[in-house]
Amino acid sequence: DSGVTQTPKHLITATGQRVTLRCSPRSGDLSVYWYQQSLDQGLQFLIQYYNGEERAKGNILERFSAQQFPDLHSELNLSSLELGDSALYFCASSVGSGREETQYFGPGTRLLVL
Amino acid sequence: GDSVTQMEGPVTLSEEAFLTINCTYTATGYPSLFWYVQYPGEGLQLLLKATKADDKGSNKGFEATYRKETTSFHLEKGSVQVSDSAVYFCALSDPLMDSSYKLIFGSGTRLLVRP
């Protein structure tokens, strides 16, 4: 158990819908990263938050957005869903953002868009 | 941009065989290097890491050495077990361009160990 929790574990929805994925980092971790794992794109970085502020953006679609709240949990919002958004979404957390630090991954949310 | 290339799988070995999974990288700066493992139906777990040239990361019998001259970080284990069957990901973090320690992953290598 990494100490990072993600809800829900599974999500099935229809095209055009909007969903919210939730991540609770390990106690004391300030950084949250979101990654997408799909068969065709592999594991890709989406976005990072550090202590409530956006730190870096990767290949995140404009239909997707995220935020980190004062209690440090984070949410990833996916809207106008398409079939190709079906994937496993991971969040990871670390204490800060440094060379020696380890990112700890949650179990992921599996999203299926029908 | 930065990238990681690892050998295609699946790799199928008999128990107690020697394992090598090749990983090479391209980076703008001076990256940290990682191996993560994903067991079926689970998230990613850090297996080992190295943050500077010639460092050797090791854990659970797995080893990898940061080779700056060959831009490589190959994963090795002397004697694999059935329980090592999983997908292994090589990754780097390189904050030079955007100050982020985000991970850039290779495509993953599936290992299957037969009894």
Side-chain angles (χ1 to χ4, degrees):
Chain A
D1 183 358
S2 67
V4 179
T5 59
Q6 289 187 248
T7 55
K9 275 193 155 179
H10 303 277
L11 203 45
I12 302 174
T13 188
T15 54
Q17 295 299 303
R18 173 189 166 94
V19 296
T20 297
L21 313 184
R22 182 188 168 102
C23 169
S24 293
R26 295 187 322 151
S27 177
D29 283 1
L30 299 178
S31 263
V32 170
Y33 300 79
W34 285 97
Y35 296 89
Q36 179 194 58
Q37 185 178 30
S38 63
L39 283 175
D40 52 346
Q41 300 285 340
L43 260 166
Q44 285 199 102
F45 166 72
L46 295 178
I47 196 164
Q48 178 199 357
Y49 278 81
Y50 176 77
N51 202 20
E53 301 288 327
E54 183 184 301
R55 173 66 67 90
K57 255 184 173 176
N59 296 327
I60 187 166
L61 299 171
E62 292 217 1
R63 301 183 284 108
F64 295 2
S65 65
Q67 52 185 326
Q68 186 179 27
F69 295 86
D71 67 353
L72 300 177
H73 91 271
S74 178
E75 292 181 356
L76 179 67
N77 300 296
L78 315 177
S79 61
S80 303
L81 285 166
E82 301 176 359
L83 296 178
D85 298 327
S86 296
L88 197 47
Y89 291 84
F90 289 109
C91 80
S93 73
S94 67
V95 172
S97 190
R99 188 176 184 83
E100 294 286 337
E101 288 178 356
T102 296
Q103 289 184 33
Y104 294 89
F105 281 74
T109 294
R110 186 172 295 279
L111 173 66
L112 180 59
V113 182
L114 300 175
Chain B
D2 293 0
S3 64
V4 176
T5 302
Q6 57 182 111
M7 61 191 287
E8 293 279 333
V11 173
T12 304
L13 295 173
S14 298
E15 206 165 23
E16 299 183 3
F18 184 86
L19 169 70
T20 300
I21 300 178
N22 290 336
C23 170
T24 58
Y25 67 88
T26 302
T28 308
Y30 190 168
S32 295
L33 302 174
F34 305 83
W35 278 100
Y36 277 83
V37 59
Q38 186 176 29
Y39 297 101
E42 297 185 14
L44 286 87
Q45 300 174 28
L46 178 70
L47 185 58
L48 52 84
K49 69 180 182 184
T51 58
K52 58 183 188 295
D54 300 324
D55 268 1
K56 178 186 281 189
S58 60
N59 185 26
K60 299 180 182 179
F62 291 89
E63 293 182 339
T65 301
Y66 189 141
R67 300 286 188 205
K68 196 162 187 281
E69 64 276 12
T70 55
T71 61
S72 64
F73 193 55
H74 304 320
L75 182 68
E76 297 182 336
K77 187 176 186 185
S79 175
V80 293
Q81 305 300 311
V82 173
S83 57
D84 294 327
S85 298
V87 180
Y88 292 81
F89 291 92
C90 185
L92 68 81
S93 69
D94 179 11
L96 182 67
M97 301 304 287
D98 61 2
S99 303
S100 171
Y101 288 87
K102 65 184 182 293
L103 293 169
I104 295 171
F105 288 92
S107 56
T109 302
R110 182 176 300 277
L111 171 65
L112 177 60
V113 181
R114 299 192 185 281

